[in-house]
Each structure stands twice: as C-alpha cells, then as structure tokens.
Amino acid sequence: MNQCKSVFNYTLDLDPDGNIIVKDDCGCEIKGTTEMPPIKKIINTRTVSITEAEGSQWIYVDPPGYWYQVS
C-alpha cells in the first residue's frame, strides 16, 4: 500500500478512447470494481462534460465552463 494520506485528492486521466484512469495524490493508479462497497451516506456527486471538436486544439470543460487549448 502506498503512503498517500488523503482520500479526497485524486486525478482523472481521460484516454482518447473515453476510458478514465483514476490516480491517487501520489500518481498511483486506483483500480476499480463493479461491487458496491459499504456506504453510510453519499456526500458528493459530480458530473463533468468534456466537449472536443474535430480539427480544433481546444476542449470545453463544464464545469467550470472554460475552453482549454490542448496539444
């Protein structure tokens, strides 16, 4: 097990094929499961939309509602 402390710091890496890789605050990949863990209460749900246009070097991410230039 790694030495990272916070369960709230994580990164979502989006592959071009649409797969999402979840990494902890140390950059280690977190493996997912389809089995539901024991949960007392859901405290936060977030939805994000990423719009990519063909022939453009820009993506739109909502929230926060900004355009980002990507390489």
Side-chain angles (χ1 to χ4, degrees):
M1 178 135 298
N2 62 37
Q3 298 296 320
C4 295
K5 303 280 188 232
S6 176
V7 298
F8 298 104
N9 292 334
Y10 56 88
T11 301
L12 302 177
D13 287 345
L14 179 62
D15 286 342
D17 60 2
N19 290 326
I20 295 175
I21 299 170
V22 181
K23 295 182 179 179
D24 64 17
D25 58 344
C26 292
C28 299
E29 184 176 343
I30 301 170
K31 297 294 182 183
T33 179
T34 57
E35 295 182 29
M36 186 171 177
I39 296 175
K40 289 183 181 180
K41 177 182 173 184
I42 295 175
I43 57 172
N44 193 351
T45 302
R46 297 179 186 185
T47 303
V48 65
S49 173
I50 302 170
T51 304
E52 177 185 19
E54 184 176 354
S56 172
Q57 295 295 319
W58 291 82
I59 60 169
Y60 183 76
V61 181
D62 183 32
Y66 293 129
W67 285 94
Y68 296 92
Q69 189 171 16
V70 295
S71 55

